[in-house]
Amino acid sequence: ARRGVATLWVIVAVPVLLTLLVVVSDVANLRLARIEAENAVEAAALAAVKQWHEGGNSSTSRQRARRTAVNYAAANTVVGHPVQLGLNEGPADDNDNASPSGTIVLGKITSGGALTFDHSSSPDPGQFGVHVQATVPVSSLFGELGGFSFGPYSVFVQSTALYDAGGEPRLVRIHSFTP
C-alpha cells in the first residue's frame, strides 16, 4: 500500500515540478533579456546624445547621432541576438524625427522642476536629449513541452540621455513628453 502511495505522489509531483521548472526558467530568461536590452538602449542613448552634442545641431550631426545609436544598440545582444533600432529619420520636425514615437527620438530637454522632453524643438547647449526605445523578441527556453506552447515573449525598454551643462552625457528620467 505504501508503494502505491509513493508512486501516486511521483505521478502527481513530476508534472508539477516540470511546469515549475519551465516557468522559473522562462522568468529568469526574461529578466536577463530585460537587463541586456536596458543596457543596449542606455548605451545607444548615451552615445547618440554625445555624438549629437559634439557635432552641433546640424542635419549631418543628427544623422550621425542616429547611426551611432543604431550601431551601439546592435553591438549589444539580448539573449544572443543584436538589438535592432530604426533610424526614425524624416522631415517631420526641427530634429528630423519622422515620428515622436520612433525608436530613436532627438529633442530638447528642459527643466522646470520636472524634466520635459520636446521632440519638436531645437536644443540649446545643455538641453540635447535622445530618447531610445526598443521592443525585443525573446524566445522561450522550452518552446513547446507536453503539448503546451511557451513564448515567444517580448520585452519593451526605453532610456533617455541628456548632455548636461557640465559637459557630460547622463541618463535621466523624463516626467513628461510634449506631443
Side-chain angles (χ1 to χ4, degrees):
R2 286 187 183 195
R3 238 185 204 172
V5 172
T7 303
L8 181 63
W9 274 107
V10 169
I11 291 172
V12 170
V14 168
V16 171
L17 291 175
L18 282 176
T19 303
L20 185 62
L21 173 69
V22 168
V23 169
V24 168
S25 297
D26 270 0
V27 168
N29 189 43
L30 282 169
R31 181 71 182 132
L32 173 64
R34 179 167 190 77
I35 290 168
E36 291 175 342
E38 285 173 347
N39 289 341
V41 297
E42 287 173 0
L46 287 167
V49 78
K50 184 174 191 241
Q51 176 71 43
W52 185 25
H53 180 267
E54 290 176 354
N57 191 18
S58 68
S59 181
T60 302
S61 179
R62 289 188 292 271
Q63 287 174 347
R64 285 187 184 136
R66 290 176 196 283
R67 294 191 196 311
T68 298
V70 167
N71 292 338
Y72 270 73
N76 288 273
T77 60
V78 174
V79 290
H81 301 288
V83 176
Q84 305 212 349
L85 300 175
L87 290 173
N88 190 35
E89 274 183 309
D93 60 34
D94 286 351
N95 297 316
D96 302 329
N97 296 310
S99 166
S101 60
T103 57
I104 303 168
V105 181
L106 279 58
K108 174 181 182 177
I109 296 179
T110 56
S111 175
L115 295 179
T116 302
F117 187 93
D118 184 354
H119 68 88
S120 62
S121 296
S122 295
D124 296 322
Q127 296 180 326
F128 283 77
V130 175
H131 181 76
V132 178
Q133 61 186 12
T135 300
V136 182
V138 180
S139 298
S140 171
L141 295 174
F142 296 92
E144 190 172 315
L145 186 66
F148 293 101
S149 181
F150 300 94
Y153 309 106
S154 63
V155 174
F156 174 77
V157 292
Q158 58 185 342
S159 183
T160 305
L162 163 71
Y163 202 93
D164 65 24
E168 292 295 323
R170 64 184 173 101
L171 297 173
V172 294
R173 182 174 305 276
I174 298 298
H175 296 95
S176 64
F177 288 85
T178 58

